[in-house]
Structure formats: structure tokens, C-alpha cells
Amino acid sequence: MSKKFRPWNVQQDYLLPPSLLDWLPEHHLARFVQEVVEELDLGAIYEAYEKEL
């Protein structure tokens, strides 16, 4: 069974609700977490999934 990531864009707008970031106050912890995750080097994780394909 192969594992695949689905593309995800935190800035993506939905049909009815606004962007998820529009729901959060400017200094909300979730914004900080998102910024930290964007800076992480996930190469080893992606590499492990690519080997399974």
C-alpha cells in the first residue's frame, strides 16, 4: 500500500468559509506553529515516502 501526501495550501480559500488564516487573530499560536513548520527541513520524511513508491 503506497502512501501519498495530498497537496495542502494553508492560504487556500474554500467555497463558503474564508481562508483559515482569516479566522485566527494576528498573534495566535497556530500562526507561529505554521511559520515554524514551513521552515522545517522535511527532506528525510519525503524521501522515506518516495522510497515506498
Side-chain angles (χ1 to χ4, degrees):
M1 177 180 196
S2 68
K3 298 176 184 174
K4 296 182 181 178
F5 289 108
R6 292 184 181 188
W8 179 64
N9 180 355
V10 72
Q11 306 254 345
Q12 178 179 347
D13 291 330
Y14 295 94
L15 180 60
L16 297 175
S19 167
L20 293 175
L21 293 177
D22 290 344
W23 291 347
L24 298 174
E26 184 178 343
H27 298 288
H28 194 278
L29 179 61
R31 290 181 181 271
F32 171 75
V33 171
Q34 180 229 343
E35 290 175 14
V36 170
V37 169
E38 286 180 350
E39 297 297 321
L40 294 176
D41 178 10
L42 301 176
I45 295 172
Y46 289 123
E47 186 178 316
Y49 278 95
E50 289 172 1
K51 286 181 181 178
E52 291 184 13
L53 296 176

